[in-house]
């Protein structure tokens, strides 16, 4: 599970539990223009590219009514991420930081989420804007985005110790 | 995995794959005032109650710097939810709806997410506002909420076919 390329000085890892507590199904794949991590945009809003969410046929019926939402929350599995890092050394930070204060893929359960704009549905495929992940990333879930509960424009993150782009994940 | 109490007429289930594709660790528990599903608020903003996220000691170091965020995204596991429903019959809807158009706990991968306001941290515990889940719910992940990418106040969900509370998940 560990990608050595992600390790940097100042990082702290733990011994993970011997067994998993629950299991996930990969229910589709995310098709993006980005084949290498260094090609991925810093976040999905920094690119004009659209991506395609391909839902596997057994789960496709669950897409009914999804076009009623202008925006969706997409959960996906960062299958190349380290899971044992509790302190990490971000590229733009002075010191190490706790995993739960970061949006890094490396975390005990590497479930990533992105808020995307739904452009159109073609059968079991959704064309969306706002993803930044590698081509072929396993899909876990799709949820409608409700501004009433999911949008908090007043939210702030104090990253004064970061050297650049303080509000950018 | 199936909770028969959640089944209603008009729902469609599928045969799930024989094996899981990935595994999850439960990294803590969520402490809430609600012991039964019927006691839970419809969403976390409809209650003034605060809840406590208890991170298990092996993962507690990952909380460093988390106080820098005013809001967090909490991922948790809906361990009592059915996983085989692709069409569901919401209480307030005229007909059945696709699972991916709903925020129902029942979904192939029952990973729920809530946006919460961080009130304070006490060691390995976070006191937050905005959760609506049962007491003891397994914790999967904590992420900082970035308004720049996570807040979409313009998002809309067309639920004209719902009888009541059209913008409420």
């Amino acid at each position: 599970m560990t990608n050595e390329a992600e390790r940097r000085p100042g990082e702290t890892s733990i011994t993970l539990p011997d067994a998993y507590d629950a299991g996930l199904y990969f229910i589709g794949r995310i098709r993006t223009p980005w084949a290498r991590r260094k090609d991925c945009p810093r976040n999905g809003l920094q690119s004009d590219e659209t991506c395609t969410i391909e839902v596997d046929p057994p789960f496709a019926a669950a897409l009914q009514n999804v076009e009623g939402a202008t925006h969706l929350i997409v959960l996906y599995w960062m299958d190349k991420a380290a899971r044992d890092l509790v302190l990490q050394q971000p590229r733009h930070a002075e010191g190490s930081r706790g995993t739960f204060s970061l949006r890094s893929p490396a975390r005990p359960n590497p479930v990533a989420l992105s808020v995307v704009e739904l452009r159109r549905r073609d059968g079991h495929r959704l064309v969306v804007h706002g993803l930044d992940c590698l081509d072929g990333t396993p899909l876990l879930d799709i949820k409608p985005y409700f501004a009433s509960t999911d949008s908090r424009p007043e939210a702030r993150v104090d990253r004064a110790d970061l050297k650049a782009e303080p509000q950018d994940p």
Side-chain angles (χ1 to χ4, degrees), chain A residues 7-13 85-90 94-98:
Chain A
R7 298 299 177 90
R8 300 192 183 94
E11 297 188 324
T12 300
S13 62
L85 290 180
V86 288
L87 294 177
Q88 304 181 41
Q89 177 58 57
E94 294 285 354
S96 58
R97 299 174 58 87

Side-chain angles (χ1 to χ4, degrees), chain A residues 110-133:
Chain A
V111 176
L113 82 92
S114 288
V115 179
V116 303
E117 183 191 352
L118 177 61
R119 295 283 173 87
R120 66 177 187 275
R121 174 180 167 195
D122 298 330
H124 69 288
R125 293 183 179 85
L126 302 179
V127 178
V128 303
H129 177 247
L131 290 172
D132 57 15
C133 59

Side-chain angles (χ1 to χ4, degrees), chain A residues 2 6 8 16 25-26 37 53 56 62 101-102 125 128 167:
Chain A
T2 297
E6 292 183 272
R8 300 192 183 94
L16 290 167
Y25 304 112
F26 295 166
R37 189 156 169 194
I53 299 171
D56 289 341
S101 77
L102 299 170
R125 293 183 179 85
V128 303
Q167 284 298 317

Side-chain angles (χ1 to χ4, degrees), chain A residues 25 27-30 52-56 59-76 111-118 120-121 123-128 131 138-146 150:
Chain A
Y25 304 112
I27 63 169
R29 294 278 165 178
I30 299 176
T52 301
I53 299 171
E54 294 183 350
V55 176
D56 289 341
F59 302 99
L63 288 168
Q64 185 179 300
N65 312 103
V66 82
E67 305 96 321
T70 60
H71 292 71
L72 302 170
I73 296 172
V74 182
L75 300 185
Y76 46 99
V111 176
L113 82 92
S114 288
V115 179
V116 303
E117 183 191 352
L118 177 61
R120 66 177 187 275
R121 174 180 167 195
H124 69 288
R125 293 183 179 85
L126 302 179
V127 178
V128 303
L131 290 172
L139 176 69
L140 297 177
D141 198 13
I142 300 167
K143 304 178 191 289
Y145 182 96
F146 288 92
D150 300 321

